[in-house]
């Protein structure tokens, strides 16, 4: 931990991906370290091993790939939780990661809410985190259970509606462009356009009922969630 906060190391050669993930993790209350390739990741890990609580590790990287980093860390009996991030979704690649000691595996593209849920689940299994509901304006979300309750009434949300609302609750009063919401909720590799965001905002407002006004349109910019 760093300053009483769980510390996560993000390892990926895609600087845009690292920046986006790191910003979201900090918003969610985590401390973040980063590395751009496998060799650098091992250097940072050995220097900060007592502070790093979890590693988000990309598979395909220059110099040393994620499998090498994973096997090296596990061969030296370090049991720091590791979640693999990869564009590969073949079963063989996933099995290889688990056999080397990975704790979880997320295929790209992924939403930030899914990533946060996986991090929470892995940290709970490791005994380092106790899950709590995220509550804003009478709306309570439990990311592990994928449940949302509005003033005591359970809301039936689609996967994207849930992730969008969760992202808003994580960042109350902050303004986000449609592009930012696409990147954070749908994933950086999503090929849709900004109308996707508008459509989901419309449906989410309908389901929020009287609290639909919490999602505010910022003219010519995007949206914000404000109670």
């Amino acid at each position: 931990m760093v300053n009483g906060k769980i510390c996560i190391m993000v390892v990926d050669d895609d600087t845009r991906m690292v920046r986006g993930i790191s910003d979201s993790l900090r918003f969610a209350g985590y401390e973040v370290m980063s590395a751009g390739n496998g060799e650098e990741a091992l250097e940072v890990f050995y220097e900060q091993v007592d502070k790093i609580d979890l590693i988000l590790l990309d598979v395909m990287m220059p110099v040393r790939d994620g499998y090498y980093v994973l096997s090296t860390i596990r061969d030296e009996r370090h049991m720091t939780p590791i979640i693999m991030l990869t564009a590969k979704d073949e079963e063989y690649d996933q099995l290889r990661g688990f056999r080397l000691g990975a704790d979880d595996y997320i295929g790209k593209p992924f939403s930030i809410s899914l990533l946060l849920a996986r991090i929470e689940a892995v940290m709970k299994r490791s005994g380092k985190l106790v899950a709590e509901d995220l509550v804003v304006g009478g709306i309570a979300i439990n990311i592990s259970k994928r449940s949302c309750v509005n003033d005591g009434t359970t809301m039936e949300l689609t996967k994207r509606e849930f992730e969008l609302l969760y992202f808003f609750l994580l960042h109350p009063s902050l303004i986000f462009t449609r592009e930012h919401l696409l990147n954070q909720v749908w994933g950086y590799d999503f090929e849709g356009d900004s109308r996707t965001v508008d459509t989901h905002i419309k449906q989410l407002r309908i389901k929020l009922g009287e609290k639909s006004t919490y999602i505010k349109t910022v003219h010519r910019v995007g949206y914000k969630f404000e109670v």
Side-chain angles (χ1 to χ4, degrees):
M1 288 193 174
V2 177
N3 298 322
K5 297 181 180 180
I6 290 173
C7 180
I8 298 175
M9 180 167 71
V10 182
V11 185
D12 198 312
D13 61 316
D14 185 337
T15 55
R16 182 165 170 258
M17 177 73 75
V18 171
R19 184 170 60 251
I21 291 175
S22 298
D23 287 347
S24 294
L25 290 176
R26 291 189 180 100
F27 273 130
Y30 295 104
E31 287 289 340
V32 182
M33 298 180 184
S34 64
N37 60 63
E39 188 172 285
E40 182 183 352
L42 289 173
E43 292 176 358
V44 174
F45 178 74
Y46 292 135
E47 290 175 358
Q48 307 290 341
V49 64
D50 293 333
K51 297 179 180 179
I52 296 172
D53 298 292
L54 182 142
I55 301 172
L56 298 178
L57 180 61
D58 186 41
V59 170
M60 303 303 293
M61 293 185 294
V63 188
R64 297 290 189 182
D65 67 16
Y67 293 128
Y68 178 87
V69 176
L70 173 62
S71 62
T72 299
I73 289 175
R74 290 295 185 252
D75 285 347
E76 297 185 4
R77 300 293 188 270
H78 292 293
M79 299 311 296
T80 302
I82 297 176
I83 299 176
M84 306 298 286
L85 308 177
T86 179
K88 291 186 175 184
D89 58 3
E90 295 294 331
E91 184 176 305
Y92 169 80
D93 297 302
Q94 296 184 29
L95 289 174
R96 182 182 178 189
F98 286 127
R99 285 168 179 160
L100 290 173
D103 294 271
D104 206 345
Y105 206 105
I106 302 179
K108 299 177 182 178
F110 53 81
S111 68
I112 291 300
S113 62
L114 173 62
L115 178 62
L116 292 174
R118 294 290 185 86
I119 289 172
E120 182 175 304
V122 169
M123 294 303 291
K124 282 174 64 180
R125 290 200 299 268
S126 70
K128 295 185 177 183
L129 181 67
V130 177
E132 295 181 353
D133 286 348
L134 174 63
V135 183
V136 180
I139 301 171
I141 280 185
N142 186 299
I143 193 67
S144 296
K145 297 178 181 178
R146 304 289 291 182
S147 65
C148 179
V149 177
N150 183 2
D151 285 339
T153 301
T154 299
M155 294 180 62
E156 297 296 333
L157 303 175
T158 66
K159 178 176 181 291
R160 292 302 186 198
E161 290 167 355
F162 179 90
E163 293 171 346
L164 183 58
L165 183 58
Y166 180 68
F167 184 78
F168 276 136
L169 264 63
L170 279 174
H171 314 113
S173 300
L174 295 182
I175 299 172
F176 295 102
T177 64
R178 291 168 175 82
E179 181 182 6
H180 195 132
L181 291 171
L182 277 175
N183 289 338
Q184 295 296 316
V185 177
W186 279 261
Y188 282 88
D189 296 332
F190 180 72
E191 296 181 354
D193 58 32
S194 61
R195 287 174 296 182
T196 298
V197 175
D198 295 333
T199 299
H200 282 77
I201 291 287
K202 180 180 178 180
Q203 294 302 314
L204 198 51
R205 280 173 168 162
I206 291 172
K207 293 182 178 181
L208 283 171
E210 294 181 354
K211 294 182 179 178
S212 62
T213 55
Y214 287 0
I215 302 178
K216 304 183 187 301
T217 300
V218 181
H219 186 55
R220 293 186 178 180
V221 181
Y223 297 99
K224 68 175 178 178
F225 186 92
E226 187 172 64
V227 178

